[in-house]
Coordinates of all heavy atoms in Angstrom, one line a residue:
M1065 N 41.2 1.5 -15.8 CA 40.6 2.8 -15.5 C 39.3 2.9 -16.1 O 39.0 2.7 -17.3 CB 41.6 3.9 -16.1 CG 40.9 5.2 -16.3 SD 41.9 6.5 -17.1 CE 43.2 5.7 -18.0
T1066 N 38.3 3.2 -15.2 CA 36.9 3.4 -15.6 C 36.6 4.8 -15.6 O 37.0 5.5 -14.6 CB 35.9 2.6 -14.8 OG1 36.3 1.2 -14.8 CG2 34.5 2.7 -15.3
L1067 N 35.9 5.3 -16.6 CA 35.7 6.8 -16.7 C 34.2 7.0 -16.7 O 33.4 6.1 -17.0 CB 36.3 7.2 -18.1 CG 37.8 7.0 -18.2 CD1 38.2 7.0 -19.7 CD2 38.6 8.0 -17.5
S1068 N 33.9 8.3 -16.5 CA 32.5 8.7 -16.6 C 32.5 10.1 -17.3 O 33.5 10.8 -17.3 CB 31.8 8.8 -15.2 OG 32.5 9.8 -14.4
V1069 N 31.4 10.4 -17.9 CA 31.2 11.7 -18.6 C 30.9 12.7 -17.5 O 30.2 12.5 -16.5 CB 30.0 11.6 -19.5 CG1 29.7 13.0 -20.1 CG2 30.2 10.6 -20.6
S1070 N 31.6 13.9 -17.6 CA 31.4 15.0 -16.7 C 29.9 15.4 -16.6 O 29.2 15.4 -17.6 CB 32.3 16.1 -17.1 OG 31.9 17.3 -16.3
Q1071 N 29.5 15.8 -15.4 CA 28.2 16.3 -15.2 C 27.9 17.6 -16.0 O 26.8 17.9 -16.3 CB 27.9 16.5 -13.8 CG 27.8 15.2 -13.0 CD 27.5 15.5 -11.5 OE1 27.8 16.6 -11.0 NE2 27.0 14.5 -10.8
D1072 N 29.0 18.3 -16.4 CA 28.8 19.5 -17.1 C 28.6 19.3 -18.6 O 28.3 20.2 -19.4 CB 30.1 20.4 -17.0 CG 30.2 21.0 -15.6 OD1 29.2 21.1 -14.9 OD2 31.4 21.3 -15.2
V1073 N 28.7 18.0 -19.1 CA 28.6 17.7 -20.5 C 27.3 17.2 -20.9 O 26.7 16.3 -20.3 CB 29.7 16.7 -20.9 CG1 29.6 16.3 -22.4 CG2 31.1 17.2 -20.6
V1074 N 26.7 17.9 -21.9 CA 25.5 17.5 -22.5 C 25.9 17.0 -23.9 O 26.6 17.7 -24.6 CB 24.5 18.6 -22.6 CG1 23.2 18.2 -23.3 CG2 24.1 19.2 -21.3
W1075 N 25.4 15.8 -24.3 CA 25.8 15.3 -25.6 C 24.7 14.6 -26.3 O 23.7 14.2 -25.7 CB 27.0 14.4 -25.4 CG 26.8 13.1 -24.6 CD1 26.8 13.0 -23.3 CD2 26.7 11.8 -25.2 NE1 26.6 11.7 -22.9 CE2 26.5 10.9 -24.1 CE3 26.6 11.3 -26.5 CZ2 26.3 9.5 -24.2 CZ3 26.4 9.9 -26.6 CH2 26.3 9.1 -25.5
T1076 N 24.9 14.6 -27.6 CA 23.9 13.9 -28.4 C 24.6 13.1 -29.5 O 25.6 13.5 -30.0 CB 22.9 14.9 -29.1 OG1 21.9 14.2 -29.8 CG2 23.6 15.9 -30.0
D1077 N 24.0 12.0 -29.8 CA 24.5 11.1 -30.8 C 23.8 11.4 -32.1 O 22.6 11.3 -32.2 CB 24.2 9.6 -30.4 CG 25.2 8.6 -31.0 OD1 25.8 8.9 -32.0 OD2 25.3 7.5 -30.4
A1078 N 24.6 11.8 -33.1 CA 24.0 12.2 -34.4 C 24.7 11.6 -35.6 O 25.8 12.0 -35.9 CB 24.0 13.8 -34.5
D1079 N 24.0 10.6 -36.2 CA 24.6 9.9 -37.4 C 26.0 9.3 -36.9 O 26.0 8.5 -36.0 CB 24.8 10.9 -38.6 CG 23.5 11.4 -39.0 OD1 22.5 10.7 -39.1 OD2 23.4 12.6 -39.3
D1080 N 27.0 9.7 -37.6 CA 28.4 9.1 -37.3 C 29.1 10.0 -36.3 O 30.3 9.8 -36.0 CB 29.2 9.0 -38.5 CG 29.1 7.6 -39.2 OD1 28.5 6.7 -38.5 OD2 29.6 7.4 -40.3
E1081 N 28.5 11.0 -35.8 CA 29.2 12.0 -34.9 C 28.5 12.0 -33.5 O 27.4 11.5 -33.3 CB 29.0 13.4 -35.4 CG 29.5 13.6 -36.8 CD 29.2 15.0 -37.3 OE1 28.2 15.7 -36.9 OE2 30.0 15.5 -38.2
V1082 N 29.3 12.5 -32.6 CA 28.7 12.9 -31.3 C 29.0 14.4 -31.1 O 30.1 14.9 -31.3 CB 29.4 12.1 -30.1 CG1 29.1 12.6 -28.8 CG2 28.9 10.6 -30.2
R1083 N 28.0 15.1 -30.7 CA 28.1 16.5 -30.4 C 28.1 16.8 -28.9 O 27.2 16.2 -28.2 CB 27.0 17.3 -31.1 CG 27.1 17.1 -32.6 CD 26.0 17.8 -33.4 NE 26.1 17.6 -34.8 CZ 25.1 17.3 -35.6 NH1 23.9 17.2 -35.1 NH2 25.4 17.0 -36.9
L1084 N 29.0 17.5 -28.5 CA 29.2 17.8 -27.0 C 29.0 19.3 -26.7 O 29.5 20.1 -27.5 CB 30.6 17.4 -26.6 CG 31.1 16.0 -26.9 CD1 32.6 16.0 -26.5 CD2 30.3 15.0 -26.2
Y1085 N 28.4 19.5 -25.6 CA 28.3 20.9 -25.1 C 28.8 20.8 -23.7 O 28.2 20.1 -22.8 CB 26.9 21.5 -25.1 CG 26.8 22.8 -24.4 CD1 27.5 23.9 -24.9 CD2 26.1 22.9 -23.3 CE1 27.5 25.1 -24.2 CE2 26.0 24.2 -22.6 CZ 26.7 25.2 -23.1 OH 26.7 26.4 -22.4
D1086 N 29.9 21.6 -23.3 CA 30.4 21.6 -22.0 C 29.8 22.9 -21.3 O 30.3 24.0 -21.6 CB 31.9 21.7 -22.0 CG 32.6 21.7 -20.7 OD1 31.8 21.8 -19.7 OD2 33.8 21.7 -20.6
S1087 N 28.9 22.7 -20.5 CA 28.2 23.9 -19.8 C 29.1 24.6 -18.9 O 28.9 25.8 -18.6 CB 26.9 23.4 -19.1 OG 27.3 22.6 -18.0
G1088 N 30.2 23.9 -18.4 CA 31.2 24.6 -17.6 C 32.0 25.6 -18.3 O 32.3 26.7 -17.8
S1089 N 32.4 25.3 -19.6 CA 33.2 26.2 -20.4 C 32.4 26.9 -21.4 O 32.9 27.9 -22.0 CB 34.4 25.4 -21.0 OG 33.8 24.5 -22.0
G1090 N 31.2 26.4 -21.8 CA 30.5 27.0 -22.8 C 30.9 26.6 -24.2 O 30.5 27.2 -25.2
E1091 N 31.7 25.6 -24.3 CA 32.3 25.2 -25.6 C 31.5 24.0 -26.2 O 31.0 23.1 -25.5 CB 33.7 24.7 -25.4 CG 34.6 25.8 -25.1 CD 36.1 25.4 -25.1 OE1 36.4 24.4 -25.8 OE2 36.9 26.1 -24.4
F1092 N 31.3 24.1 -27.5 CA 30.7 23.0 -28.3 C 31.8 22.3 -29.0 O 32.8 22.9 -29.5 CB 29.8 23.6 -29.3 CG 28.5 24.1 -28.8 CD1 28.4 25.5 -28.5 CD2 27.4 23.3 -28.6 CE1 27.2 26.0 -28.0 CE2 26.2 23.8 -28.1 CZ 26.1 25.1 -27.8
Q1093 N 31.6 21.0 -29.2 CA 32.6 20.2 -30.0 C 31.8 19.1 -30.7 O 30.8 18.6 -30.3 CB 33.6 19.5 -29.1 CG 34.5 20.4 -28.3 CD 35.6 19.6 -27.6 OE1 36.1 18.6 -28.1 NE2 35.9 20.1 -26.4
T1094 N 32.3 18.7 -31.9 CA 31.8 17.6 -32.6 C 32.9 16.6 -32.8 O 34.0 16.9 -33.3 CB 31.3 18.1 -34.0 OG1 30.3 19.1 -33.8 CG2 30.7 16.9 -34.8
L1095 N 32.6 15.4 -32.4 CA 33.5 14.3 -32.5 C 33.3 13.5 -33.8 O 32.1 13.1 -34.1 CB 33.4 13.3 -31.3 CG 33.6 13.9 -29.9 CD1 33.4 12.8 -28.8 CD2 34.9 14.6 -29.7
N1096 N 34.3 13.2 -34.5 CA 34.2 12.4 -35.7 C 33.8 11.0 -35.4 O 33.7 10.6 -34.2 CB 35.5 12.5 -36.6 CG 36.7 11.8 -36.0 OD1 36.5 11.0 -35.1 ND2 37.8 12.3 -36.4
S1097 N 33.6 10.2 -36.4 CA 33.1 8.8 -36.2 C 34.0 8.0 -35.3 O 33.5 7.2 -34.4 CB 32.8 8.1 -37.5 OG 34.0 8.0 -38.2
S1098 N 35.3 8.1 -35.4 CA 36.2 7.3 -34.6 C 36.2 7.8 -33.1 O 36.1 7.0 -32.2 CB 37.7 7.4 -35.1 OG 37.8 6.9 -36.4
A1099 N 36.2 9.1 -33.0 CA 36.2 9.6 -31.6 C 34.8 9.4 -31.0 O 34.7 9.1 -29.8 CB 36.5 11.1 -31.7
A1100 N 33.8 9.5 -31.8 CA 32.4 9.2 -31.3 C 32.3 7.8 -30.8 O 31.6 7.5 -29.8 CB 31.4 9.5 -32.4
Q1101 N 32.9 6.8 -31.5 CA 32.9 5.4 -31.1 C 33.5 5.3 -29.7 O 32.9 4.6 -28.8 CB 33.6 4.6 -32.1 CG 33.3 3.1 -31.9 CD 33.8 2.3 -33.0 OE1 34.5 2.7 -33.9 NE2 33.5 1.0 -33.0
I1102 N 34.6 5.9 -29.5 CA 35.3 5.9 -28.1 C 34.4 6.5 -27.1 O 34.2 6.0 -26.0 CB 36.6 6.5 -28.2 CG1 37.6 5.8 -29.1 CG2 37.2 6.7 -26.8 CD1 38.8 6.5 -29.5
W1103 N 33.8 7.7 -27.4 CA 32.9 8.4 -26.5 C 31.7 7.5 -26.1 O 31.4 7.4 -24.9 CB 32.4 9.7 -27.1 CG 31.5 10.5 -26.2 CD1 30.2 10.3 -26.1 CD2 32.0 11.4 -25.2 NE1 29.7 11.2 -25.1 CE2 30.8 11.9 -24.6 CE3 33.2 11.9 -24.9 CZ2 30.9 12.8 -23.6 CZ3 33.2 12.9 -23.9 CH2 32.1 13.3 -23.2
R1104 N 31.1 6.9 -27.0 CA 29.9 6.0 -26.7 C 30.3 4.9 -25.8 O 29.6 4.5 -24.9 CB 29.4 5.4 -28.0 CG 28.7 6.4 -28.9 CD 28.1 5.7 -30.1 NE 27.8 6.7 -31.1 CZ 28.5 6.9 -32.3 NH1 29.6 6.1 -32.5 NH2 28.2 7.9 -33.1
L1105 N 31.5 4.3 -26.0 CA 31.9 3.2 -25.1 C 32.2 3.7 -23.7 O 31.9 3.0 -22.7 CB 33.1 2.5 -25.7 CG 32.9 1.7 -27.1 CD1 34.2 1.3 -27.7 CD2 31.9 0.6 -26.8
V1106 N 32.8 4.8 -23.6 CA 33.0 5.4 -22.3 C 31.7 5.7 -21.6 O 31.5 5.4 -20.4 CB 33.9 6.7 -22.4 CG1 33.8 7.5 -21.1 CG2 35.3 6.5 -22.8
A1107 N 30.7 6.3 -22.4 CA 29.4 6.6 -21.8 C 28.7 5.4 -21.4 O 27.8 5.4 -20.4 CB 28.6 7.4 -22.8
Q1108 N 29.0 4.2 -22.0 CA 28.4 2.9 -21.6 C 29.0 2.4 -20.3 O 28.6 1.3 -19.8 CB 28.5 1.9 -22.7 CG 27.6 2.3 -23.9 CD 27.9 1.3 -25.1 OE1 28.7 0.4 -25.0 NE2 27.3 1.6 -26.2
G1109 N 30.1 3.0 -19.8 CA 30.7 2.6 -18.6 C 31.8 1.6 -18.8 O 32.3 0.9 -17.9
R1110 N 32.3 1.4 -20.0 CA 33.4 0.5 -20.3 C 34.7 1.1 -19.8 O 35.0 2.2 -20.1 CB 33.5 0.2 -21.8 CG 32.2 -0.3 -22.4 CD 32.4 -1.7 -22.9 NE 31.1 -2.3 -23.4 CZ 30.7 -2.2 -24.7 NH1 31.5 -1.6 -25.6 NH2 29.6 -2.7 -25.1
P1111 N 35.5 0.2 -19.2 CA 36.9 0.7 -18.8 C 37.8 0.9 -20.0 O 37.5 0.3 -21.1 CB 37.4 -0.4 -17.9 CG 36.4 -1.5 -17.8 CD 35.2 -1.1 -18.7
A1112 N 38.8 1.8 -19.8 CA 39.7 2.1 -21.0 C 40.3 0.9 -21.6 O 40.4 0.8 -22.8 CB 40.7 3.1 -20.5
D1113 N 40.7 -0.1 -20.8 CA 41.4 -1.2 -21.4 C 40.4 -2.1 -22.2 O 40.8 -2.7 -23.2 CB 42.1 -2.1 -20.3 CG 41.2 -2.6 -19.2 OD1 40.0 -2.1 -19.1 OD2 41.6 -3.5 -18.5
A1114 N 39.1 -2.1 -21.8 CA 38.1 -2.8 -22.6 C 37.9 -2.1 -23.9 O 37.6 -2.8 -24.9 CB 36.8 -3.0 -21.8
I1115 N 37.9 -0.8 -23.9 CA 37.7 0.0 -25.1 C 38.8 -0.3 -26.1 O 38.6 -0.6 -27.2 CB 37.6 1.5 -24.8 CG1 36.3 1.8 -24.0 CG2 37.6 2.3 -26.0 CD1 36.2 3.1 -23.4
V1116 N 40.0 -0.2 -25.5 CA 41.2 -0.5 -26.4 C 41.1 -1.9 -27.0 O 41.3 -2.1 -28.2 CB 42.5 -0.4 -25.6 CG1 43.7 -1.0 -26.3 CG2 42.8 1.1 -25.2
G1117 N 40.7 -2.9 -26.2 CA 40.6 -4.3 -26.6 C 39.6 -4.5 -27.7 O 39.8 -5.1 -28.7
E1118 N 38.4 -3.8 -27.5 CA 37.3 -3.9 -28.4 C 37.7 -3.3 -29.8 O 37.4 -3.9 -30.8 CB 36.1 -3.3 -27.9 CG 34.9 -3.4 -28.7 CD 33.6 -2.9 -28.1 OE1 33.5 -3.0 -26.8 OE2 32.7 -2.5 -28.8
L1119 N 38.3 -2.1 -29.7 CA 38.6 -1.5 -31.0 C 39.8 -2.2 -31.7 O 39.8 -2.3 -32.9 CB 39.0 0.0 -30.7 CG 37.7 0.8 -30.2 CD1 38.2 2.3 -30.0 CD2 36.6 0.8 -31.2
A1120 N 40.8 -2.7 -30.9 CA 41.9 -3.4 -31.5 C 41.3 -4.7 -32.2 O 41.7 -5.0 -33.3 CB 42.9 -3.8 -30.5
A1121 N 40.4 -5.4 -31.6 CA 39.8 -6.6 -32.1 C 39.1 -6.3 -33.4 O 39.1 -7.0 -34.4 CB 38.9 -7.3 -31.1
A1122 N 38.4 -5.1 -33.4 CA 37.6 -4.8 -34.6 C 38.4 -4.3 -35.8 O 38.1 -4.5 -36.9 CB 36.6 -3.7 -34.2
F1123 N 39.6 -3.6 -35.5 CA 40.3 -2.9 -36.5 C 41.7 -3.3 -36.8 O 42.3 -3.0 -37.8 CB 40.2 -1.4 -36.3 CG 38.9 -0.8 -36.2 CD1 38.3 -0.4 -35.1 CD2 38.1 -0.7 -37.4 CE1 37.0 0.1 -35.0 CE2 36.8 -0.2 -37.4 CZ 36.3 0.2 -36.2
A1124 N 42.3 -4.0 -35.9 CA 43.7 -4.4 -36.1 C 43.9 -5.7 -36.8 O 45.0 -5.9 -37.4 CB 44.4 -4.5 -34.7
H1125 N 42.9 -6.5 -36.9 CA 42.9 -7.7 -37.7 C 44.1 -8.5 -37.4 O 44.9 -9.0 -38.3 CB 42.8 -7.4 -39.2 CG 41.7 -6.5 -39.6 ND1 40.4 -6.9 -39.5 CD2 41.6 -5.2 -39.9 CE1 39.6 -5.9 -39.8 NE2 40.3 -4.8 -40.1
D1126 N 44.3 -8.8 -36.1 CA 45.4 -9.6 -35.6 C 46.8 -9.1 -35.9 O 47.8 -9.8 -35.9 CB 45.3 -11.1 -36.1 CG 44.1 -11.8 -35.6 OD1 43.7 -11.5 -34.5 OD2 43.5 -12.6 -36.4
D1127 N 46.9 -7.8 -36.3 CA 48.2 -7.2 -36.5 C 48.6 -6.5 -35.2 O 48.0 -5.5 -34.8 CB 48.1 -6.2 -37.7 CG 49.4 -5.5 -38.0 OD1 50.2 -5.2 -37.1 OD2 49.5 -5.1 -39.2
E1128 N 49.7 -7.0 -34.6 CA 50.1 -6.5 -33.3 C 50.5 -5.1 -33.4 O 50.2 -4.3 -32.5 CB 51.3 -7.4 -32.8 CG 51.7 -7.1 -31.4 CD 52.7 -8.0 -30.8 OE1 52.6 -9.2 -31.1 OE2 53.6 -7.5 -30.1
Y1129 N 51.2 -4.7 -34.4 CA 51.6 -3.3 -34.6 C 50.4 -2.3 -34.6 O 50.4 -1.3 -34.0 CB 52.5 -3.1 -35.8 CG 52.9 -1.7 -36.1 CD1 53.9 -1.1 -35.3 CD2 52.3 -0.9 -37.1 CE1 54.3 0.3 -35.5 CE2 52.7 0.4 -37.3 CZ 53.7 1.0 -36.5 OH 54.0 2.3 -36.7
E1130 N 49.4 -2.7 -35.4 CA 48.2 -1.9 -35.5 C 47.5 -1.9 -34.2 O 46.9 -0.8 -33.8 CB 47.2 -2.5 -36.6 CG 47.6 -2.2 -38.0 CD 47.6 -0.7 -38.3 OE1 46.7 0.0 -37.9 OE2 48.6 -0.3 -39.0
A1131 N 47.4 -3.0 -33.5 CA 46.8 -3.0 -32.2 C 47.5 -2.0 -31.2 O 46.8 -1.3 -30.4 CB 46.8 -4.4 -31.6
E1132 N 48.8 -2.0 -31.3 CA 49.6 -1.0 -30.4 C 49.3 0.4 -30.8 O 49.1 1.3 -29.9 CB 51.1 -1.3 -30.5 CG 51.5 -2.6 -29.9 CD 53.0 -2.9 -30.1 OE1 53.7 -2.1 -30.6 OE2 53.4 -4.1 -29.7
L1133 N 49.2 0.7 -32.1 CA 48.8 2.0 -32.5 C 47.4 2.4 -32.1 O 47.2 3.6 -31.6 CB 48.9 2.2 -34.0 CG 50.3 2.2 -34.7 CD1 50.2 2.3 -36.2 CD2 51.0 3.4 -34.2
I1134 N 46.5 1.5 -32.2 CA 45.1 1.8 -31.7 C 45.1 2.0 -30.2 O 44.5 3.0 -29.8 CB 44.2 0.6 -32.1 CG1 44.0 0.6 -33.6 CG2 42.9 0.7 -31.3 CD1 43.3 -0.7 -34.1
A1135 N 45.8 1.2 -29.5 CA 45.9 1.4 -28.0 C 46.5 2.8 -27.7 O 45.9 3.6 -26.9 CB 46.7 0.4 -27.3
K1136 N 47.5 3.2 -28.3 CA 48.2 4.5 -28.1 C 47.2 5.6 -28.4 O 47.0 6.6 -27.7 CB 49.4 4.6 -29.0 CG 50.1 5.9 -28.9 CD 51.3 5.9 -29.8 CE 52.0 7.3 -30.0 NZ 51.1 8.3 -30.7
D1137 N 46.6 5.5 -29.6 CA 45.6 6.6 -30.0 C 44.4 6.7 -29.1 O 44.0 7.8 -28.7 CB 45.2 6.4 -31.5 CG 46.3 6.6 -32.5 OD1 47.3 7.2 -32.1 OD2 46.1 6.2 -33.7
V1138 N 43.9 5.6 -28.7 CA 42.7 5.6 -27.9 C 43.0 6.2 -26.5 O 42.3 7.1 -26.0 CB 42.1 4.2 -27.7 CG1 41.1 4.1 -26.6 CG2 41.5 3.7 -29.0
L1139 N 44.1 5.8 -25.9 CA 44.5 6.3 -24.6 C 44.9 7.8 -24.6 O 44.6 8.5 -23.7 CB 45.7 5.4 -24.0 CG 45.2 4.0 -23.7 CD1 46.4 3.2 -23.3 CD2 44.1 3.9 -22.7
E1140 N 45.5 8.2 -25.7 CA 45.8 9.6 -25.9 C 44.6 10.4 -26.0 O 44.4 11.5 -25.4 CB 46.8 9.9 -27.1 CG 48.2 9.5 -26.8 CD 49.1 9.7 -28.0 OE1 48.6 10.2 -29.1 OE2 50.3 9.4 -27.9
F1141 N 43.6 9.9 -26.8 CA 42.3 10.7 -26.9 C 41.6 10.7 -25.6 O 41.1 11.8 -25.2 CB 41.5 10.0 -28.0 CG 40.2 10.6 -28.2 CD1 40.1 11.9 -28.6 CD2 39.0 10.0 -27.9 CE1 38.8 12.6 -28.8 CE2 37.8 10.6 -28.0 CZ 37.7 11.9 -28.5
I1142 N 41.5 9.6 -24.9 CA 40.9 9.6 -23.6 C 41.6 10.6 -22.6 O 40.9 11.4 -21.9 CB 40.9 8.2 -23.0 CG1 39.8 7.4 -23.7 CG2 40.6 8.3 -21.5 CD1 39.8 5.9 -23.3
E1143 N 42.9 10.7 -22.6 CA 43.6 11.6 -21.8 C 43.3 13.1 -22.2 O 43.2 13.9 -21.3 CB 45.1 11.3 -21.8 CG 45.9 12.2 -20.9 CD 45.4 12.1 -19.4 OE1 45.0 11.1 -19.0 OE2 45.5 13.2 -18.8
T1144 N 43.2 13.3 -23.5 CA 42.8 14.7 -24.0 C 41.4 15.1 -23.4 O 41.2 16.2 -23.0 CB 42.8 14.7 -25.5 OG1 44.1 14.4 -26.0 CG2 42.4 16.1 -26.0
L1145 N 40.5 14.1 -23.4 CA 39.2 14.4 -22.9 C 39.2 14.6 -21.4 O 38.5 15.5 -20.9 CB 38.2 13.2 -23.3 CG 37.9 13.0 -24.7 CD1 37.1 11.8 -24.9 CD2 37.2 14.2 -25.4
R1146 N 40.0 13.9 -20.7 CA 40.2 14.0 -19.3 C 40.8 15.4 -19.0 O 40.3 16.1 -18.1 CB 41.0 12.9 -18.7 CG 40.3 11.6 -18.6 CD 41.2 10.5 -18.0 NE 41.5 10.8 -16.7 CZ 42.7 10.6 -16.1 NH1 43.7 10.0 -16.8 NH2 42.9 10.8 -14.8
A1147 N 41.8 15.8 -19.7 CA 42.5 17.1 -19.5 C 41.5 18.2 -19.7 O 41.6 19.3 -19.1 CB 43.7 17.2 -20.4
A1148 N 40.6 18.0 -20.7 CA 39.6 19.1 -21.0 C 38.5 19.1 -20.0 O 37.6 20.0 -20.0 CB 39.1 18.9 -22.4
G1149 N 38.4 18.1 -19.0 CA 37.4 18.1 -18.0 C 36.1 17.4 -18.6 O 35.1 17.5 -17.9
L1150 N 36.1 16.8 -19.7 CA 34.9 16.2 -20.3 C 34.7 14.8 -19.7 O 33.5 14.4 -19.7 CB 35.0 16.1 -21.8 CG 35.2 17.5 -22.5 CD1 35.5 17.3 -24.0 CD2 34.0 18.4 -22.3
L1151 N 35.7 14.2 -19.3 CA 35.7 12.8 -18.7 C 36.4 12.9 -17.3 O 37.3 13.7 -17.2 CB 36.3 11.8 -19.5 CG 35.7 11.5 -20.9 CD1 36.5 10.4 -21.6 CD2 34.3 11.1 -20.8
H1152 N 36.0 12.0 -16.4 CA 36.6 11.9 -15.1 C 36.8 10.4 -14.8 O 36.0 9.6 -15.2 CB 35.8 12.5 -14.0 CG 35.4 13.9 -14.2 ND1 36.4 14.9 -14.0 CD2 34.3 14.5 -14.6 CE1 35.8 16.1 -14.2 NE2 34.5 15.9 -14.6
D1153 N 37.9 10.1 -14.1 CA 38.0 8.7 -13.6 C 36.8 8.6 -12.6 O 36.5 9.5 -11.9 CB 39.3 8.6 -12.7 CG 40.5 8.5 -13.6 OD1 40.4 8.1 -14.8 OD2 41.6 8.9 -13.1
T1154 N 36.2 7.4 -12.7 CA 35.0 7.1 -11.8 C 35.3 7.5 -10.4 O 34.5 8.0 -9.7 CB 34.5 5.7 -12.0 OG1 34.3 5.5 -13.4 CG2 33.3 5.5 -11.2
G1155 N 36.5 7.2 -9.9 CA 36.9 7.4 -8.5 C 37.0 8.9 -8.2 O 36.9 9.3 -7.1
D1156 N 37.2 9.8 -9.3 CA 37.3 11.2 -9.1 C 35.9 11.9 -9.2 O 35.8 13.1 -8.9 CB 38.2 11.8 -10.2 CG 39.6 11.4 -10.1 OD1 40.0 10.9 -9.0 OD2 40.3 11.5 -11.0
D1157 N 34.9 11.2 -9.6 CA 33.6 11.8 -9.8 C 32.6 11.4 -8.7 O 32.1 10.3 -8.6 CB 33.0 11.4 -11.1 CG 31.7 12.1 -11.5 OD1 31.2 12.8 -10.7 OD2 31.3 11.9 -12.7
P1158 N 32.4 12.3 -7.7 CA 31.5 11.9 -6.6 C 30.1 11.4 -7.0 O 29.6 10.6 -6.3 CB 31.4 13.3 -5.8 CG 32.5 14.1 -6.3 CD 32.8 13.7 -7.6
A1159 N 29.6 11.9 -8.1 CA 28.3 11.5 -8.5 C 28.3 10.1 -9.0 O 27.3 9.4 -8.9 CB 27.8 12.4 -9.7
A1160 N 29.4 9.6 -9.4 CA 29.5 8.2 -9.9 C 29.4 7.2 -8.7 O 29.0 6.1 -8.9 CB 30.9 7.9 -10.6
D1161 N 29.6 7.6 -7.5 CA 29.5 6.8 -6.3 C 28.1 6.8 -5.8 O 27.8 6.0 -4.9 CB 30.5 7.3 -5.3 CG 31.9 7.1 -5.7 OD1 32.2 6.2 -6.5 OD2 32.8 7.9 -5.2
V1162 N 27.2 7.7 -6.2 CA 25.9 7.7 -5.7 C 25.1 6.6 -6.3 O 25.2 6.3 -7.5 CB 25.2 9.1 -6.1 CG1 23.8 9.1 -5.7 CG2 26.0 10.2 -5.5
G1163 N 24.4 5.8 -5.5 CA 23.9 4.6 -6.1 C 22.6 4.2 -5.6 O 21.9 3.4 -6.0

């Protein structure tokens, strides 16, 4: 699954955080360093499975159980962002097809 940032979201990278403003809802959010890392990878156009793989390689240290936890947490976080309308599947975002 490849994702894109919603057109309604304005974001800035600040130190270890990412700050989001959803112009559709008027809500501001600040993502902590772990969440910000996932956000940056999504914004770079990386598919969810590549994000999971990259973070598992960096933090699981060949521990299969830790890798599974990372995968679960990353996918749950991405789903939370999708449910909030901050991210869309690339196929669901008409602007992503403009090229």
Side-chain angles (χ1 to χ4, degrees):
M1065 155 182 27
T1066 301
L1067 303 158
S1068 63
V1069 175
S1070 169
Q1071 292 179 338
D1072 290 338
V1073 176
V1074 177
W1075 64 282
T1076 184
D1077 206 338
D1079 300 319
D1080 267 353
E1081 302 174 334
V1082 166
R1083 296 181 183 136
L1084 308 173
Y1085 172 66
D1086 181 354
S1087 64
S1089 69
E1091 293 186 25
F1092 287 94
Q1093 294 186 40
T1094 300
L1095 304 180
N1096 67 23
S1097 61
S1098 299
Q1101 189 169 11
I1102 296 166
W1103 181 270
R1104 289 181 198 108
L1105 293 171
V1106 168
Q1108 291 172 6
R1110 302 242 178 94
D1113 59 343
I1115 294 169
V1116 167
E1118 184 171 331
L1119 296 178
F1123 299 107
H1125 308 290
D1126 295 324
D1127 181 327
E1128 189 174 319
Y1129 178 74
E1130 284 296 318
E1132 289 175 11
L1133 286 177
I1134 289 168
K1136 177 182 171 291
D1137 289 347
V1138 168
L1139 295 175
E1140 284 180 3
F1141 178 64
I1142 287 172
E1143 185 54 38
T1144 298
L1145 295 173
R1146 288 178 65 217
L1150 301 173
L1151 298 178
H1152 301 285
D1153 288 333
T1154 302
D1156 293 343
D1157 187 353
D1161 295 330
V1162 176

